[in-house]
Amino acid sequence: LAGFFPFALCALILVTTERDMSLWQDALGALRAYGIAILSFLGGIRWGAAMDSDRAARTLLHSVVPSLIGWSTVFMTPVFALAILAMAFAGQGAWDVLSAQNGVLPRWYGRIRMKLTLLVVGALLVSLLAVG
């Protein structure tokens, strides 16, 4: 759950700091960069899980999608990027939870992903409101 801290800190800065301060811009950039990194990490977890699967090729292909979605937000306006990141985290979280329920991933992973997904998407939506 410690991985949620940067999302929370950046959201807090965006909500409590004036837009014309460099800290506000730094927080926005850090939030986007961290979101991209974590989406890539989550895709990597799926890649690792696929290595022990009969459907490895399909899952390996799907596991790259979070990284590509995250990377694409570099070219978007901040509002659009945060919205896309929130949707990507929600989608990845749903995939992980459903996979845990179906026995593809460990049950404990599905439980923690549900909590983290709600927290991260919440922080991204708060940030989106602050930016928009």
Short mmCIF file of all heavy atoms in Angstrom, two decimals, residues 54-108:
data_model
loop_
_atom_site.label_atom_id
_atom_site.label_comp_id
_atom_site.label_asym_id
_atom_site.label_seq_id
_atom_site.Cartn_x
_atom_site.Cartn_y
_atom_site.Cartn_z
N ASP A 54 -0.70 -21.59 -20.01
CA ASP A 54 -0.88 -22.17 -21.34
C ASP A 54 -1.27 -21.11 -22.36
O ASP A 54 -1.13 -21.31 -23.56
CB ASP A 54 -1.96 -23.26 -21.31
CG ASP A 54 -1.51 -24.46 -20.49
OD1 ASP A 54 -0.29 -24.66 -20.33
OD2 ASP A 54 -2.39 -25.20 -20.01
N ARG A 55 -1.80 -20.01 -21.90
CA ARG A 55 -2.21 -18.91 -22.79
C ARG A 55 -1.19 -17.78 -22.76
O ARG A 55 -1.55 -16.61 -22.87
CB ARG A 55 -3.56 -18.37 -22.35
CG ARG A 55 -4.68 -19.36 -22.45
CD ARG A 55 -5.97 -18.69 -22.10
NE ARG A 55 -6.98 -19.68 -21.81
CZ ARG A 55 -8.05 -19.45 -21.10
NH1 ARG A 55 -8.26 -18.26 -20.60
NH2 ARG A 55 -8.92 -20.40 -20.89
N ALA A 56 0.05 -18.10 -22.61
CA ALA A 56 1.10 -17.11 -22.41
C ALA A 56 1.15 -16.07 -23.52
O ALA A 56 1.25 -14.87 -23.24
CB ALA A 56 2.46 -17.78 -22.26
N ALA A 57 1.08 -16.48 -24.76
CA ALA A 57 1.23 -15.52 -25.86
C ALA A 57 0.16 -14.44 -25.81
O ALA A 57 0.46 -13.25 -25.95
CB ALA A 57 1.18 -16.26 -27.20
N ARG A 58 -1.07 -14.83 -25.60
CA ARG A 58 -2.17 -13.85 -25.54
C ARG A 58 -2.02 -12.92 -24.34
O ARG A 58 -2.18 -11.71 -24.46
CB ARG A 58 -3.49 -14.61 -25.49
CG ARG A 58 -4.68 -13.72 -25.52
CD ARG A 58 -5.94 -14.56 -25.60
NE ARG A 58 -7.09 -13.75 -25.31
CZ ARG A 58 -8.28 -14.23 -25.13
NH1 ARG A 58 -8.50 -15.52 -25.22
NH2 ARG A 58 -9.28 -13.44 -24.86
N THR A 59 -1.71 -13.50 -23.19
CA THR A 59 -1.56 -12.69 -21.99
C THR A 59 -0.35 -11.78 -22.10
O THR A 59 -0.39 -10.63 -21.64
CB THR A 59 -1.46 -13.59 -20.74
OG1 THR A 59 -2.62 -14.42 -20.68
CG2 THR A 59 -1.38 -12.76 -19.47
N LEU A 60 0.72 -12.26 -22.69
CA LEU A 60 1.90 -11.40 -22.88
C LEU A 60 1.56 -10.20 -23.74
O LEU A 60 1.98 -9.08 -23.44
CB LEU A 60 3.05 -12.20 -23.50
CG LEU A 60 3.68 -13.27 -22.61
CD1 LEU A 60 4.69 -14.08 -23.39
CD2 LEU A 60 4.30 -12.66 -21.37
N LEU A 61 0.79 -10.42 -24.76
CA LEU A 61 0.35 -9.32 -25.61
C LEU A 61 -0.50 -8.32 -24.82
O LEU A 61 -0.25 -7.11 -24.87
CB LEU A 61 -0.44 -9.85 -26.81
CG LEU A 61 -1.01 -8.81 -27.76
CD1 LEU A 61 0.12 -8.05 -28.45
CD2 LEU A 61 -1.91 -9.47 -28.79
N HIS A 62 -1.44 -8.81 -24.06
CA HIS A 62 -2.31 -7.94 -23.27
C HIS A 62 -1.54 -7.21 -22.16
O HIS A 62 -1.91 -6.10 -21.77
CB HIS A 62 -3.46 -8.73 -22.65
CG HIS A 62 -4.44 -9.23 -23.65
ND1 HIS A 62 -5.19 -10.35 -23.46
CD2 HIS A 62 -4.79 -8.77 -24.87
CE1 HIS A 62 -5.97 -10.56 -24.51
NE2 HIS A 62 -5.74 -9.60 -25.38
N SER A 63 -0.50 -7.84 -21.64
CA SER A 63 0.23 -7.23 -20.53
C SER A 63 1.02 -6.00 -20.94
O SER A 63 1.44 -5.22 -20.08
CB SER A 63 1.15 -8.26 -19.87
OG SER A 63 2.21 -8.60 -20.73
N VAL A 64 1.21 -5.79 -22.23
CA VAL A 64 1.93 -4.61 -22.70
C VAL A 64 1.00 -3.40 -22.81
O VAL A 64 1.45 -2.25 -22.79
CB VAL A 64 2.59 -4.92 -24.07
CG1 VAL A 64 3.28 -3.71 -24.64
CG2 VAL A 64 3.57 -6.06 -23.93
N VAL A 65 -0.29 -3.64 -22.88
CA VAL A 65 -1.27 -2.57 -23.09
C VAL A 65 -1.20 -1.49 -22.00
O VAL A 65 -1.20 -0.29 -22.34
CB VAL A 65 -2.69 -3.15 -23.24
CG1 VAL A 65 -3.74 -2.05 -23.28
CG2 VAL A 65 -2.76 -4.00 -24.51
N PRO A 66 -1.13 -1.83 -20.70
CA PRO A 66 -1.05 -0.75 -19.70
C PRO A 66 0.13 0.19 -19.91
O PRO A 66 -0.01 1.41 -19.77
CB PRO A 66 -0.94 -1.50 -18.37
CG PRO A 66 -1.48 -2.85 -18.64
CD PRO A 66 -1.18 -3.15 -20.07
N SER A 67 1.28 -0.36 -20.26
CA SER A 67 2.46 0.48 -20.52
C SER A 67 2.22 1.41 -21.69
O SER A 67 2.59 2.60 -21.65
CB SER A 67 3.68 -0.39 -20.82
OG SER A 67 3.96 -1.22 -19.73
N LEU A 68 1.63 0.89 -22.75
CA LEU A 68 1.39 1.71 -23.94
C LEU A 68 0.35 2.80 -23.67
O LEU A 68 0.51 3.93 -24.14
CB LEU A 68 0.94 0.82 -25.10
CG LEU A 68 1.99 -0.16 -25.62
CD1 LEU A 68 1.39 -1.07 -26.69
CD2 LEU A 68 3.21 0.57 -26.12
N ILE A 69 -0.67 2.47 -22.92
CA ILE A 69 -1.66 3.49 -22.56
C ILE A 69 -1.00 4.57 -21.71
O ILE A 69 -1.18 5.76 -21.96
CB ILE A 69 -2.87 2.87 -21.83
CG1 ILE A 69 -3.67 2.01 -22.79
CG2 ILE A 69 -3.75 3.95 -21.21
CD1 ILE A 69 -4.77 1.19 -22.12
N GLY A 70 -0.24 4.15 -20.72
CA GLY A 70 0.45 5.13 -19.88
C GLY A 70 1.38 6.01 -20.69
O GLY A 70 1.37 7.24 -20.56
N TRP A 71 2.18 5.41 -21.55
CA TRP A 71 3.12 6.16 -22.38
C TRP A 71 2.39 7.16 -23.27
O TRP A 71 2.86 8.29 -23.47
CB TRP A 71 3.93 5.18 -23.22
CG TRP A 71 4.80 5.84 -24.23
CD1 TRP A 71 6.01 6.45 -24.01
CD2 TRP A 71 4.52 5.98 -25.62
NE1 TRP A 71 6.49 6.95 -25.20
CE2 TRP A 71 5.60 6.68 -26.21
CE3 TRP A 71 3.47 5.59 -26.45
CZ2 TRP A 71 5.65 6.98 -27.55
CZ3 TRP A 71 3.52 5.89 -27.79
CH2 TRP A 71 4.61 6.58 -28.33
N SER A 72 1.23 6.79 -23.79
CA SER A 72 0.51 7.69 -24.69
C SER A 72 0.07 8.98 -23.99
O SER A 72 -0.11 10.01 -24.64
CB SER A 72 -0.71 6.98 -25.30
OG SER A 72 -1.73 6.80 -24.33
N THR A 73 -0.06 8.94 -22.67
CA THR A 73 -0.52 10.15 -21.95
C THR A 73 0.53 11.25 -21.93
O THR A 73 0.20 12.39 -21.62
CB THR A 73 -0.96 9.82 -20.51
OG1 THR A 73 0.17 9.35 -19.76
CG2 THR A 73 -2.07 8.79 -20.48
N VAL A 74 1.75 10.91 -22.28
CA VAL A 74 2.81 11.93 -22.36
C VAL A 74 2.44 13.00 -23.39
O VAL A 74 2.79 14.16 -23.25
CB VAL A 74 4.16 11.27 -22.72
CG1 VAL A 74 5.21 12.31 -23.08
CG2 VAL A 74 4.63 10.39 -21.58
N PHE A 75 1.70 12.59 -24.41
CA PHE A 75 1.37 13.48 -25.52
C PHE A 75 0.01 14.16 -25.36
O PHE A 75 -0.44 14.82 -26.28
CB PHE A 75 1.40 12.68 -26.83
CG PHE A 75 2.71 12.00 -27.05
CD1 PHE A 75 2.86 10.64 -26.78
CD2 PHE A 75 3.82 12.71 -27.48
CE1 PHE A 75 4.08 10.01 -26.96
CE2 PHE A 75 5.04 12.09 -27.65
CZ PHE A 75 5.17 10.74 -27.40
N MET A 76 -0.61 14.01 -24.21
CA MET A 76 -1.96 14.55 -23.99
C MET A 76 -1.93 15.76 -23.08
O MET A 76 -0.98 15.96 -22.33
CB MET A 76 -2.84 13.47 -23.35
CG MET A 76 -3.02 12.25 -24.20
SD MET A 76 -3.96 10.99 -23.29
CE MET A 76 -3.81 9.62 -24.39
N THR A 77 -3.01 16.53 -23.14
CA THR A 77 -3.16 17.62 -22.18
C THR A 77 -3.28 17.01 -20.79
O THR A 77 -3.70 15.84 -20.65
CB THR A 77 -4.42 18.45 -22.49
OG1 THR A 77 -5.56 17.60 -22.31
CG2 THR A 77 -4.38 19.03 -23.89
N PRO A 78 -2.93 17.76 -19.75
CA PRO A 78 -3.00 17.20 -18.39
C PRO A 78 -4.38 16.64 -18.03
O PRO A 78 -4.46 15.57 -17.43
CB PRO A 78 -2.62 18.38 -17.50
CG PRO A 78 -1.72 19.22 -18.36
CD PRO A 78 -2.31 19.10 -19.74
N VAL A 79 -5.44 17.34 -18.38
CA VAL A 79 -6.78 16.87 -18.02
C VAL A 79 -7.06 15.53 -18.69
O VAL A 79 -7.51 14.57 -18.05
CB VAL A 79 -7.85 17.92 -18.39
CG1 VAL A 79 -9.24 17.35 -18.28
CG2 VAL A 79 -7.70 19.16 -17.51
N PHE A 80 -6.80 15.45 -19.98
CA PHE A 80 -7.06 14.22 -20.72
C PHE A 80 -6.15 13.10 -20.21
O PHE A 80 -6.58 11.96 -20.04
CB PHE A 80 -6.87 14.46 -22.21
CG PHE A 80 -7.50 13.42 -23.08
CD1 PHE A 80 -8.84 13.07 -22.97
CD2 PHE A 80 -6.74 12.76 -24.04
CE1 PHE A 80 -9.41 12.10 -23.76
CE2 PHE A 80 -7.30 11.79 -24.85
CZ PHE A 80 -8.64 11.47 -24.71
N ALA A 81 -4.89 13.41 -19.93
CA ALA A 81 -3.94 12.41 -19.44
C ALA A 81 -4.39 11.82 -18.11
O ALA A 81 -4.35 10.60 -17.92
CB ALA A 81 -2.55 13.03 -19.31
N LEU A 82 -4.81 12.68 -17.19
CA LEU A 82 -5.26 12.17 -15.89
C LEU A 82 -6.52 11.32 -16.02
O LEU A 82 -6.67 10.31 -15.33
CB LEU A 82 -5.48 13.33 -14.91
CG LEU A 82 -4.22 14.07 -14.48
CD1 LEU A 82 -4.57 15.27 -13.61
CD2 LEU A 82 -3.25 13.14 -13.76
N ALA A 83 -7.42 11.72 -16.91
CA ALA A 83 -8.64 10.92 -17.14
C ALA A 83 -8.28 9.56 -17.72
O ALA A 83 -8.81 8.53 -17.28
CB ALA A 83 -9.59 11.68 -18.07
N ILE A 84 -7.38 9.52 -18.68
CA ILE A 84 -6.96 8.26 -19.29
C ILE A 84 -6.24 7.39 -18.26
O ILE A 84 -6.47 6.17 -18.18
CB ILE A 84 -6.06 8.51 -20.53
CG1 ILE A 84 -6.86 9.20 -21.63
CG2 ILE A 84 -5.41 7.22 -21.02
CD1 ILE A 84 -8.00 8.37 -22.20
N LEU A 85 -5.36 7.99 -17.46
CA LEU A 85 -4.68 7.22 -16.42
C LEU A 85 -5.68 6.62 -15.43
O LEU A 85 -5.55 5.46 -15.04
CB LEU A 85 -3.65 8.09 -15.69
CG LEU A 85 -2.38 8.42 -16.45
CD1 LEU A 85 -1.54 9.46 -15.70
CD2 LEU A 85 -1.56 7.17 -16.73
N ALA A 86 -6.68 7.40 -15.02
CA ALA A 86 -7.69 6.89 -14.09
C ALA A 86 -8.43 5.70 -14.71
O ALA A 86 -8.64 4.67 -14.05
CB ALA A 86 -8.66 8.00 -13.70
N MET A 87 -8.81 5.82 -15.97
CA MET A 87 -9.51 4.72 -16.64
C MET A 87 -8.60 3.50 -16.80
O MET A 87 -9.05 2.35 -16.64
CB MET A 87 -10.04 5.17 -18.00
CG MET A 87 -11.23 6.12 -17.88
SD MET A 87 -11.98 6.51 -19.47
CE MET A 87 -10.82 7.71 -20.11
N ALA A 88 -7.33 3.74 -17.10
CA ALA A 88 -6.39 2.63 -17.26
C ALA A 88 -6.19 1.88 -15.94
O ALA A 88 -6.16 0.64 -15.92
CB ALA A 88 -5.05 3.14 -17.80
N PHE A 89 -6.06 2.62 -14.85
CA PHE A 89 -5.92 1.97 -13.55
C PHE A 89 -7.19 1.22 -13.17
O PHE A 89 -7.12 0.12 -12.61
CB PHE A 89 -5.55 2.99 -12.46
CG PHE A 89 -4.08 3.23 -12.36
CD1 PHE A 89 -3.51 4.34 -12.95
CD2 PHE A 89 -3.25 2.34 -11.70
CE1 PHE A 89 -2.15 4.58 -12.89
CE2 PHE A 89 -1.88 2.56 -11.63
CZ PHE A 89 -1.33 3.68 -12.23
N ALA A 90 -8.35 1.77 -13.48
CA ALA A 90 -9.61 1.08 -13.19
C ALA A 90 -9.69 -0.20 -14.01
O ALA A 90 -10.06 -1.26 -13.49
CB ALA A 90 -10.79 2.00 -13.49
N GLY A 91 -9.36 -0.13 -15.28
CA GLY A 91 -9.40 -1.31 -16.14
C GLY A 91 -8.40 -2.37 -15.70
O GLY A 91 -8.73 -3.56 -15.65
N GLN A 92 -7.19 -1.95 -15.40
CA GLN A 92 -6.17 -2.90 -14.95
C GLN A 92 -6.59 -3.53 -13.63
O GLN A 92 -6.42 -4.74 -13.43
CB GLN A 92 -4.81 -2.20 -14.80
CG GLN A 92 -3.68 -3.12 -14.37
CD GLN A 92 -3.30 -4.13 -15.42
OE1 GLN A 92 -3.20 -3.79 -16.59
NE2 GLN A 92 -3.08 -5.37 -15.03
N GLY A 93 -7.13 -2.73 -12.74
CA GLY A 93 -7.59 -3.25 -11.46
C GLY A 93 -8.70 -4.28 -11.64
O GLY A 93 -8.69 -5.34 -11.00
N ALA A 94 -9.64 -4.00 -12.51
CA ALA A 94 -10.74 -4.95 -12.77
C ALA A 94 -10.19 -6.25 -13.34
O ALA A 94 -10.60 -7.34 -12.93
CB ALA A 94 -11.76 -4.32 -13.72
N TRP A 95 -9.25 -6.15 -14.29
CA TRP A 95 -8.65 -7.34 -14.88
C TRP A 95 -7.93 -8.17 -13.82
O TRP A 95 -8.07 -9.39 -13.76
CB TRP A 95 -7.70 -6.93 -16.00
CG TRP A 95 -7.07 -8.05 -16.77
CD1 TRP A 95 -7.59 -9.31 -16.99
CD2 TRP A 95 -5.80 -8.04 -17.42
NE1 TRP A 95 -6.72 -10.05 -17.74
CE2 TRP A 95 -5.62 -9.31 -18.03
CE3 TRP A 95 -4.81 -7.07 -17.56
CZ2 TRP A 95 -4.47 -9.62 -18.75
CZ3 TRP A 95 -3.69 -7.39 -18.30
CH2 TRP A 95 -3.52 -8.66 -18.88
N ASP A 96 -7.19 -7.49 -12.94
CA ASP A 96 -6.45 -8.20 -11.89
C ASP A 96 -7.40 -8.86 -10.89
O ASP A 96 -7.19 -10.01 -10.48
CB ASP A 96 -5.51 -7.24 -11.17
CG ASP A 96 -4.33 -6.82 -12.03
OD1 ASP A 96 -4.07 -7.49 -13.06
OD2 ASP A 96 -3.66 -5.83 -11.68
N VAL A 97 -8.44 -8.16 -10.48
CA VAL A 97 -9.39 -8.72 -9.51
C VAL A 97 -10.11 -9.93 -10.12
O VAL A 97 -10.24 -10.97 -9.47
CB VAL A 97 -10.38 -7.65 -9.02
CG1 VAL A 97 -11.53 -8.26 -8.24
CG2 VAL A 97 -9.65 -6.60 -8.17
N LEU A 98 -10.58 -9.78 -11.35
CA LEU A 98 -11.26 -10.90 -12.00
C LEU A 98 -10.32 -12.09 -12.20
O LEU A 98 -10.72 -13.25 -12.03
CB LEU A 98 -11.84 -10.46 -13.35
CG LEU A 98 -13.04 -9.52 -13.28
CD1 LEU A 98 -13.42 -9.02 -14.67
CD2 LEU A 98 -14.22 -10.21 -12.61
N SER A 99 -9.08 -11.82 -12.53
CA SER A 99 -8.11 -12.90 -12.70
C SER A 99 -7.84 -13.61 -11.38
O SER A 99 -7.65 -14.83 -11.36
CB SER A 99 -6.80 -12.34 -13.27
OG SER A 99 -7.01 -11.87 -14.59
N ALA A 100 -7.81 -12.88 -10.29
CA ALA A 100 -7.63 -13.49 -8.98
C ALA A 100 -8.85 -14.35 -8.61
O ALA A 100 -8.70 -15.44 -8.06
CB ALA A 100 -7.37 -12.43 -7.92
N GLN A 101 -10.03 -13.86 -8.92
CA GLN A 101 -11.24 -14.64 -8.65
C GLN A 101 -11.30 -15.91 -9.48
O GLN A 101 -11.86 -16.91 -9.05
CB GLN A 101 -12.48 -13.78 -8.89
CG GLN A 101 -12.65 -12.69 -7.88
CD GLN A 101 -13.78 -11.74 -8.22
OE1 GLN A 101 -14.35 -11.77 -9.31
NE2 GLN A 101 -14.11 -10.86 -7.27
N ASN A 102 -10.70 -15.88 -10.68
CA ASN A 102 -10.70 -17.05 -11.57
C ASN A 102 -9.50 -17.96 -11.35
O ASN A 102 -9.31 -18.93 -12.09
CB ASN A 102 -10.74 -16.60 -13.03
CG ASN A 102 -12.05 -15.94 -13.38
OD1 ASN A 102 -13.08 -16.25 -12.80
ND2 ASN A 102 -12.02 -15.04 -14.33
N GLY A 103 -8.65 -17.65 -10.38
CA GLY A 103 -7.52 -18.49 -10.06
C GLY A 103 -6.28 -18.27 -10.91
O GLY A 103 -5.29 -18.99 -10.76
N VAL A 104 -6.30 -17.26 -11.79
CA VAL A 104 -5.13 -16.97 -12.62
C VAL A 104 -4.05 -16.28 -11.78
O VAL A 104 -2.86 -16.51 -11.98
CB VAL A 104 -5.53 -16.09 -13.83
CG1 VAL A 104 -4.33 -15.67 -14.63
CG2 VAL A 104 -6.54 -16.83 -14.69
N LEU A 105 -4.47 -15.44 -10.86
CA LEU A 105 -3.58 -14.74 -9.93
C LEU A 105 -3.98 -15.13 -8.51
O LEU A 105 -5.12 -15.54 -8.28
CB LEU A 105 -3.70 -13.22 -10.12
CG LEU A 105 -3.24 -12.67 -11.46
CD1 LEU A 105 -3.59 -11.19 -11.58
CD2 LEU A 105 -1.74 -12.86 -11.66
N PRO A 106 -3.08 -14.97 -7.55
CA PRO A 106 -3.42 -15.33 -6.17
C PRO A 106 -4.58 -14.48 -5.62
O PRO A 106 -4.72 -13.31 -5.96
CB PRO A 106 -2.14 -15.03 -5.40
CG PRO A 106 -1.06 -14.95 -6.41
CD PRO A 106 -1.70 -14.52 -7.69
N ARG A 107 -5.39 -15.08 -4.78
CA ARG A 107 -6.54 -14.39 -4.18
C ARG A 107 -6.11 -13.13 -3.42
O ARG A 107 -6.76 -12.10 -3.51
CB ARG A 107 -7.29 -15.31 -3.22
CG ARG A 107 -8.12 -16.33 -3.92
CD ARG A 107 -9.57 -15.91 -3.72
NE ARG A 107 -10.46 -16.99 -4.08
CZ ARG A 107 -11.33 -16.89 -5.08
NH1 ARG A 107 -11.38 -15.81 -5.78
NH2 ARG A 107 -12.13 -17.87 -5.35
N TRP A 108 -5.00 -13.22 -2.67
CA TRP A 108 -4.54 -12.07 -1.89
C TRP A 108 -4.22 -10.89 -2.81
O TRP A 108 -4.43 -9.74 -2.44
CB TRP A 108 -3.32 -12.42 -1.02
CG TRP A 108 -2.08 -12.76 -1.80
CD1 TRP A 108 -1.64 -14.00 -2.14
CD2 TRP A 108 -1.13 -11.84 -2.36
NE1 TRP A 108 -0.48 -13.92 -2.87
CE2 TRP A 108 -0.14 -12.60 -3.02
CE3 TRP A 108 -1.01 -10.45 -2.36
CZ2 TRP A 108 0.95 -12.03 -3.67
CZ3 TRP A 108 0.07 -9.88 -3.02
CH2 TRP A 108 1.04 -10.65 -3.66
#
